[in-house]
Amino acid sequence: DGYRVCRILRTQEETRDIPIAFFSAGTQSDEIQKCFASGADDFIVKPFSARELVDKIWRLLMKKKEVDTFK
């Protein structure tokens, strides 16, 4: 499942810094918390607009750029 894949990606040196967002129609707080607990950077509720998707991806990429700058 996505939670497991996220945890695995976070443990691998080659993939630990890749931004990860979960896309789900579920909006229960325990599901959202589980996504972040597994290592996700963001959670996007379906359905979403193209603008919302672009904004989220942009923020994730800018966050990664900031992290990479300070390494």
Side-chain angles (χ1 to χ4, degrees):
D1 63 36
Y3 307 114
R4 183 173 178 216
V5 170
C6 189
R7 286 190 301 272
I8 291 168
L9 290 172
R10 291 296 184 227
T11 63
Q12 304 298 312
E13 185 176 341
E14 304 84 16
T15 58
R16 76 174 52 144
D17 295 325
I18 294 173
I20 298 173
F22 276 78
F23 296 74
S24 178
T27 58
Q28 296 179 355
S29 63
D30 60 326
E31 180 182 349
I32 296 170
Q33 289 174 2
K34 192 173 177 182
C35 291
F36 286 109
S38 69
D41 295 294
D42 209 339
F43 183 90
I44 302 170
V45 178
K46 295 189 285 188
F48 48 84
S49 68
R51 181 78 239 159
E52 181 181 8
L53 178 62
V54 169
D55 288 345
K56 294 271 188 173
I57 291 171
W58 180 255
R59 277 185 253 148
L60 287 171
L61 292 174
M62 291 296 96
K63 180 180 174 184
K64 179 171 178 8
K65 184 178 180 181
E66 288 175 13
V67 169
D68 290 346
T69 300
F70 292 109
K71 282 187 173 179

